[in-house]
Amino acid sequence: VLLALANSLGKMIPLVGGGYHAQSLLPPIELLLTVEENAVRDAAAASALLVASALPDDTFRNKYVPMLTRLARKEWFTARISSVGLIANAYPRLTQNQQEYHLELFAGLCQDDTPMVRRVAAQRLGIILENVVQVTGRVSLKEGGVVTTILIPLYETLSSNEQPVSMFNL
């Protein structure tokens, strides 16, 4: 039932009145993003991405982004796993302050105490790297840029973990 619900929520955007009302789908999606079953979380994340793409920028920044922050700060690791991928995908639509804050959150999740969170963070490192370069341009690649000061050290840290190297999707 949870899997069917998670799969359906992203498809309900037209039924709730379109993008301007899609924020009403976020509370049940947020709950499903914390479920222990991987398939349910993955389906909820796909629905969250559909809803996020339909939201106007203002609603995205005022409703969707706080959900990402709450997920990243939750005690239970399943919520933090969900937040990693969603933060990586949301990065281009964040304000500059939100980008800085959520990049710090992402970096913290890369160093999480739970190996499963670190594994998913490592898998999403390529996505956030691509999005950072897309948003900030080549300056992020120069010495002292975000890529060289934050993201490359995260890659080095994660690659020295006792996890398989194949987990990196760079």
Side-chain angles (χ1 to χ4, degrees), residues 66-145:
M67 179 187 78
L68 300 181
T69 305
R70 285 191 302 274
L71 289 168
R73 299 227 173 264
K74 288 211 184 259
E75 185 176 337
W76 194 240
F77 74 93
T78 55
R80 296 193 310 272
I81 287 173
S82 294
S83 71
V84 170
L86 296 176
I87 288 171
N89 284 298
Y91 190 86
R93 288 188 65 192
L94 302 174
T95 65
Q96 186 172 357
N97 288 339
Q98 289 174 334
Q99 287 172 348
E100 292 170 9
Y101 180 73
H102 284 81
L103 191 58
E104 287 177 23
L105 277 178
F106 186 89
L109 293 167
C110 286
Q111 300 165 6
D112 196 273
D113 292 337
T114 309
M116 288 81 72
V117 176
R118 291 193 312 267
R119 183 179 314 117
V120 174
Q123 292 170 343
R124 302 301 189 269
L125 192 56
I127 295 169
I128 199 157
L129 179 105
E130 182 179 335
N131 286 334
V132 166
V133 172
Q134 173 192 346
V135 169
T136 59
R138 298 181 67 83
V139 70
S140 63
L141 298 170
K142 294 182 179 179
E143 190 174 329

Side-chain angles (χ1 to χ4, degrees), residues 4-170:
L5 184 60
N7 280 319
S8 299
L9 284 170
K11 299 171 188 167
M12 297 179 81
I13 297 166
L15 302 174
V16 297
Y20 286 98
H21 301 285
Q23 69 185 17
S24 63
L25 298 170
L26 291 178
I29 289 173
E30 184 173 357
L31 288 173
L32 292 169
L33 288 167
T34 66
V35 171
E36 194 164 346
E37 178 60 41
N38 287 341
V40 174
R41 276 196 327 271
D42 291 345
S47 286
L49 292 173
L50 287 172
V51 169
S53 68
L55 292 173
D57 286 339
D58 189 49
T59 307
F60 177 85
R61 292 179 182 131
N62 294 323
K63 300 291 182 182
Y64 184 79
V65 174
M67 179 187 78
L68 300 181
T69 305
R70 285 191 302 274
L71 289 168
R73 299 227 173 264
K74 288 211 184 259
E75 185 176 337
W76 194 240
F77 74 93
T78 55
R80 296 193 310 272
I81 287 173
S82 294
S83 71
V84 170
L86 296 176
I87 288 171
N89 284 298
Y91 190 86
R93 288 188 65 192
L94 302 174
T95 65
Q96 186 172 357
N97 288 339
Q98 289 174 334
Q99 287 172 348
E100 292 170 9
Y101 180 73
H102 284 81
L103 191 58
E104 287 177 23
L105 277 178
F106 186 89
L109 293 167
C110 286
Q111 300 165 6
D112 196 273
D113 292 337
T114 309
M116 288 81 72
V117 176
R118 291 193 312 267
R119 183 179 314 117
V120 174
Q123 292 170 343
R124 302 301 189 269
L125 192 56
I127 295 169
I128 199 157
L129 179 105
E130 182 179 335
N131 286 334
V132 166
V133 172
Q134 173 192 346
V135 169
T136 59
R138 298 181 67 83
V139 70
S140 63
L141 298 170
K142 294 182 179 179
E143 190 174 329
V146 173
V147 172
T148 57
T149 60
I150 297 174
L151 296 174
I152 298 298
L154 286 175
Y155 175 78
E156 291 169 347
T157 300
L158 288 166
S159 66
S160 68
N161 275 340
E162 297 174 11
Q163 298 176 25
V165 175
S166 63
M167 71 181 183
F168 294 102
N169 293 335
L170 295 178

